[in-house]
Amino acid sequence: PPHSADSRRHPTGSSSSRVFSYPCLLLLWHNGLIFDPMEAAIGGCASLDPLSFHVSLPFLLPSDSPPLPICFSSTAWIIVSEFVIPTNAVTAHASVYVRKGMVGTAWWDDVLLEPVPPKAMETFILAPAYRGRITSSWPPQLRVQVSMPDLAQLNPADYTFSATLANVPAGAAIEVVTLSGAALPPNRTAEAVFKVDPRTGLQPGEYTVTVRCLRGGSVELSTVYNLTRVADTQPPATVWVDGQRRLIVEGKPFFPIGMYAGDLHPEDFDRFRGSAFNSLMPYKQLNATQMDWAHAAGIKIAYTVKDDFCGHSLKCNTTDFDLEKVTQAVNAFKEHPATLMWYTNDELGVTWADTLAGHQQLIQSLDYNHPTWAVLYEAPEINLYVDTCDTIGTDPYPIPDHPASEVREWANDTHRLLAGTKAIFEVIQAHNPANYGHSGRTPTLNETRSMVWQAIAVGANGIFFYSYFDIQRNPDVPFETQWSHLSQVSTQVTAFAPCLLSDLGAAPATEFRAAGGEPAWLVTRERWCTESELSGVGDGSVLLPDGEKAVVVFAVSDGSGGGEVAFGLPARLGTVESVTVVSETPARSIVPTGGGAGWTDSIDPLAIAVYVVRLKAQ
């Protein structure tokens, strides 16, 4: 953050296609001199006037986007940038130009747009998803997802896929799983599941899983995943992500809910102490005193290293200067009790993916105890960032130019395109776009509540509002009012956090329908929960017998509709005995319908309803 409503790289609706199947374009530029002001300042292009080079694909990069600075002198072909084009694009235009007011000389002898053939395979390590770590308790199986893009020029019958588990450094194969392309289901996605139980069948040490795509016996593509069977004597990490994509802090599930911030002072931490918020992401790298203030206030810090990139915002005088800066920050605060995670990327484009992956590998080597977090607005391209971070989020700011339902779309893209492998900490708009020179307004309380719960219903296990400094300057809503709105929503989320993070995990999906069919405006998340996990909810009237669990259904309108909905649970769970709406005070009871087959309720646009559903004993 921040970005404006005009700076989106994809139109609403483009989320329906798998991004790895999009055709790409490479823009190559030949035989010229381009000079970047930042490089000139350190001597890279000294004695020549600064000049910027900008590539514009109108549906991807608007005219007010930052330029793509390059500094070189070459007669060879140079790859300037790579773009991912949405499948619903009708036309594309590429232009090379210099900005008004720039001085200097540039030559464009040849410009070439070259299509890149689609890759025949995309893979994800499903388990263990977090840093490839295997312990004595997780995971029970090693699982890899293999997908083929749904393109006519790729015939699944021509391909075979293999996944090989091997030890390091010997490289001896332990087990090989083979998948036939011809046997892939219609969605062209399958899982390679190893028979070995990694908890008991692998000795502590290093392993690899190599996934290969073969055609006619030749390897066309391969991906290698590094795994570690952690020794049983190794203490658990201070902060890590478990198999349910929950953040675990000092052994307990933790739902981060907080704000972006700038510089922070004692009075700021006094305000956050005892508030509805438990985390902050300051853009400024905090010093030791500020980190101590945060810890004293009970606030966890997502510590930023997002600006430590040569050629981006960091002026580098050595090849590894950015790595040195990241190393200094991580080593300085990896033992500090206020550190929650490392904030490594704030909307850098896919051309930075290799550099981001390098930073990710560096931080992994430096700090066993804290994950990384990246936030992007490139939602349809988000699978291209899979190797760049441990946790992820997107930051749709829809109000007022787009519907609030955009949050659901982006969060769903994030979850789906990454195959559910990463914890999602979503960024929610709390600012007025007028703060950034655009027309707009601050989201209402109802819009804010819906946007937060849309993200959670899709699967987010953390929420950050953008931003603390904005709510102090929003021109239409006083700080006290907006602080109250965000606190109300955060207090509600915190009350349900024990259920959202329950060890019992996800319950079967709810079946629902409305007049005219399935309501497209409704999104739900289901969890198994116990009475103790519901003790802080509503008026505390939910009572469950000792040892009994209930299905808790979080139902959210994304704002595009509302009305009466008939809910049902899979028949295998049994019949519904009682339904209590605990998102209201006092709690409201609903009489089950259809002899215990389900229940009916009305949900207003932008509203949330949370149902505790007791089932009759089988």
Side-chain angles (χ1 to χ4, degrees), residues 9 38 67-69 81-82 306-314 322 344-359 376 378 384-385 388:
R9 294 195 176 189
M38 186 198 74
L68 303 174
S81 195
E82 180 176 342
K306 63 100 178 173
D307 289 323
D308 294 335
F309 290 92
C310 293
H312 174 53
S313 55
L314 189 65
D322 58 333
T344 56
N345 183 11
D346 191 292
E347 301 180 339
L348 284 179
V350 295
T351 53
W352 290 90
D354 289 344
T355 302
L356 289 163
H359 283 207
L376 305 156
E378 296 85 353
L384 303 177
Y385 294 85
T388 69

Side-chain angles (χ1 to χ4, degrees), residues 370-429:
H370 300 94
T372 60
W373 177 40
V375 172
L376 305 156
Y377 66 82
E378 296 85 353
E381 305 168 22
I382 206 159
N383 56 311
L384 303 177
Y385 294 85
V386 65
D387 297 323
T388 69
C389 57
D390 296 314
T391 69
I392 204 162
T394 50
D395 52 359
Y397 301 146
I399 307 301
D401 295 330
H402 297 260
S405 59
E406 189 173 73
V407 173
R408 171 190 182 177
E409 295 171 6
W410 285 35
N412 186 63
D413 278 352
T414 304
H415 179 80
R416 177 177 56 86
L417 293 173
L418 291 171
T421 57
K422 294 192 184 295
I424 299 173
F425 306 141
E426 198 74 346
V427 181
I428 302 297
Q429 178 184 354

Side-chain angles (χ1 to χ4, degrees), residues 542-567:
V542 176
L543 298 175
L544 299 174
D546 288 344
E548 183 177 318
K549 62 182 180 181
V551 176
V552 178
V553 179
F554 298 86
V556 187
S557 164
D558 66 12
S560 63
E564 188 173 90
V565 180
F567 293 89

Side-chain angles (χ1 to χ4, degrees), residues 173-184:
I174 297 171
E175 185 178 347
V176 179
V177 178
T178 301
L179 299 173
S180 167
L184 290 177

Side-chain angles (χ1 to χ4, degrees), residues 420-445:
T421 57
K422 294 192 184 295
I424 299 173
F425 306 141
E426 198 74 346
V427 181
I428 302 297
Q429 178 184 354
H431 65 279
N432 185 330
N435 296 342
Y436 300 94
H438 304 277
S439 62
R441 61 175 175 82
T442 301
T444 66
L445 172 58

Side-chain angles (χ1 to χ4, degrees), residues 130 239-243 245-248 371 390-391 422-423 425:
Y130 179 68
V239 185
W240 57 289
V241 179
D242 74 356
R245 302 183 301 280
R246 304 177 299 177
L247 198 63
I248 307 298
D390 296 314
T391 69
K422 294 192 184 295
F425 306 141

